[in-house]
Amino acid sequence: MSDSRPIGVFDSGLGGLTVAREIFRLMPGEKIIYLGDTARCPYGGRSEETIKTFGIQDARLLTDYDVKLLVVACNTVSAVALDLIAASCKDVPVIGVVIPGSRAAARRTAVRKVGVIGTAATIRAGAYTRAIQGFDAAIKVYGKACPLFVPLVEEGLLDHEITRHAVQYYLAEVLDSGVDCIILGCTHYPLLMQTIQEMVGTRTQLLDSALWTAREVFEILKSLNGLAAGKTGGFSESRFLVTDYTPHFKDLASLFLGAEIPSIEQISLEKLTKPCSTVPAAA
Ligand code: DGL
């Protein structure tokens, strides 16, 4: 059996295309409907309540497209609102990026010390700590918010002196705690992989939650007999929706996706924010 319906993937902005990229790499026959809430991005410095409200709105829009699986590619939303979103989208399996990255880290750390870097809201929510310790309660988790990394990536300063200073500034404390694995707990950070690796050295593993999430998507679809039958064409048949558009987005999107993005469609923010009686109140 197979399922040709698309996978829904959403993020606060374009960074979640790093997750889409890994899904396409692993499952080239899959189609994706991607939503980037670029009008309201970034989410990472916002309150829990706002992140919950936005996350539910994003999820609800994608379920209108008859998706077979919903991937919350945004670490911030996954850390703050995954349970709420899963409860509000009962007919569609929902997965976030926190559990797959945490499972990989719990399996890999030899010294049972793991670092997690992400937005302020992601680190504050403590979801990575709970998830990692859910796999092994003896693991110590050292979280560090790195709010400058998102704008540095969006400015394209991937291999730049300013970025190296920022990496040094944020990661010194995490490294001093003796971790041997660091989870890149934000959609944007895979693009800083090389710069961060140079600073932390080869004995510290960097775990890209996007990659582990794509593997989990594959496993879930396989177990549900829900993989698409075709082997090619998914990428060109996919749709990429944003709530705000500037000419810079095409380049930025291609950077995250690792390939030229076919086209970007703008939808109105009102489509997301329209009241809906089935959405539970953000707790
Ligand atoms: N997509 C967000 C995340 O993965 C980063 C950008 C934002 O702050 O909205 O946490």
Side-chain angles (χ1 to χ4, degrees), residues 84-107:
L84 201 65
I85 291 170
S88 77
C89 303
K90 288 209 178 62
D91 299 334
V92 186
V94 178
I95 76 157
V97 288
V98 171
I99 300 282
S102 300
R103 182 185 293 112
R107 282 185 184 153

Side-chain angles (χ1 to χ4, degrees), residues 10-16 18 34 37 40-46 73-79 97 118-122 128 147 150-151 154 184-189 209:
F10 80 83
D11 179 42
S12 54
L14 299 173
T18 53
Y34 181 89
D37 185 13
R40 302 186 295 188
C41 190
Y43 287 4
R46 294 182 186 268
C74 182
N75 282 260
T76 302
V77 177
S78 296
V97 288
T119 66
T122 296
Y128 271 106
V150 165
E154 298 213 342
L184 305 181
C186 175
T187 48
H188 289 55
Y189 300 178
S209 46

Side-chain angles (χ1 to χ4, degrees), residues 109-276:
T109 177
V111 297
R112 287 179 152 162
K113 290 181 182 177
V114 172
V116 179
I117 55 174
T119 66
T122 296
I123 300 305
R124 198 172 57 226
Y128 271 106
T129 305
R130 284 193 298 282
I132 293 166
Q133 292 179 343
F135 291 112
D136 180 347
I139 297 176
K140 289 204 168 59
V141 182
Y142 301 86
K144 181 75 184 166
C146 308
L148 286 176
F149 284 180
V150 165
L152 286 168
V153 169
E154 298 213 342
E155 282 298 311
L157 301 173
L158 307 182
D159 180 25
H160 192 280
E161 201 57 22
I162 305 177
T163 310
R164 280 190 281 277
H165 280 301
V167 171
Q168 177 80 40
Y169 171 73
Y170 286 130
L171 291 191
E173 210 179 296
V174 177
L175 288 176
D176 281 352
S177 58
V179 300
D180 59 355
C181 288
I182 298 178
I183 299 178
L184 305 181
C186 175
T187 48
H188 289 55
Y189 300 178
L191 276 77
L192 296 177
M193 180 84 106
Q194 207 178 320
T195 306
I196 297 175
Q197 193 76 70
E198 276 164 22
M199 197 232 139
V200 302
T202 46
R203 283 161 67 174
T204 309
Q205 282 188 60
L206 300 180
L207 300 172
D208 173 359
S209 46
L211 177 83
W212 297 99
T213 303
R215 293 187 184 182
E216 188 137 329
V217 167
F218 176 75
E219 292 303 331
I220 292 175
L221 290 179
K222 200 170 122 195
S223 71
L224 296 172
N225 286 326
L227 287 161
K231 290 262 178 286
T232 53
F235 181 77
S236 55
E237 284 173 40
S238 294
R239 292 177 66 184
F240 302 92
L241 315 177
V242 291
T243 48
D244 190 22
Y245 184 81
T246 72
H248 174 54
F249 281 2
K250 203 147 195 261
D251 292 341
L252 196 57
S254 302
L255 183 72
F256 286 122
L257 196 58
E260 178 124 10
I261 192 150
S263 67
I264 301 181
E265 300 167 48
Q266 186 177 354
I267 58 162
S268 76
L269 188 56
E270 286 70 45
K271 261 188 125 168
L272 260 71
T273 56
K274 67 175 190 273
C276 171

